[in-house]
Amino acid sequence: GAFRRDKMHGCGKTKFSKGDCYEGPFLEGKRSGQGTYTFSTNAKYVGYWKENERHGKGEMHYANGDTFEGIYCEGERKEGRVYFTDSKVEYNGSIQNFYIDENGRKKQAKLLTK
């Protein structure tokens, strides 16, 4: 990718020291726009970014096969669909603080820790 004022700017690809990789647009050194972030664990986020935070529509695919598809706001999941592959369970609705809101009951969704 290109640089502007010594910061990545435009489309590019970068690999981080812990093995994670990001491919997509940068705006003055920050992930911005639609891009793909692949974690060293083989989990992958495909979606929109704003100032290095997941922001807007995106999909998180976890290494165990679980998936979250929905809306992020400033890096946090807000609303969407969670699919748990081990139990073939699907949940649609609000996501708050890494918990799933199910008719007033809260269940910790450990897959949502990244």
Side-chain angles (χ1 to χ4, degrees):
F3 284 81
R4 182 190 290 175
R5 293 187 284 253
D6 295 326
K7 295 179 182 176
M8 292 185 76
H9 192 82
C11 288
K13 184 175 183 177
T14 189
K15 193 166 191 170
F16 301 95
S17 60
K18 62 181 180 174
D20 295 355
C21 181
Y22 171 75
E23 186 170 3
F26 290 86
L27 181 63
E28 297 184 0
K30 295 182 179 178
R31 293 182 294 275
S32 182
Q34 188 172 9
T36 300
Y37 192 104
T38 305
F39 297 85
S40 61
T41 60
N42 290 324
K44 182 186 286 191
Y45 172 77
V46 179
Y48 287 88
W49 297 84
K50 180 179 177 185
E51 297 186 4
N52 278 344
E53 299 279 354
R54 292 173 244 193
H55 192 82
K57 189 175 182 181
E59 297 178 7
M60 185 68 196
H61 302 276
Y62 296 86
N64 67 356
D66 294 346
T67 302
F68 170 79
E69 298 173 0
I71 304 298
Y72 288 80
C73 184
E74 297 176 349
E76 295 185 24
R77 287 166 294 279
K78 292 298 178 185
E79 187 170 338
R81 175 183 162 263
V82 180
Y83 180 73
F84 300 92
T85 55
D86 62 343
S87 60
K88 305 287 189 235
V89 171
E90 185 175 323
Y91 172 78
N92 288 290
S94 295
I95 308 294
Q96 297 178 345
N97 300 324
F98 307 141
Y99 285 78
I100 297 174
D101 186 347
E102 296 179 283
N103 299 321
R105 296 184 332 222
K106 291 187 178 180
K107 174 183 175 186
Q108 186 171 10
K110 293 187 179 187
L111 79 141
L112 301 177
T113 57
K114 262 210 188 268

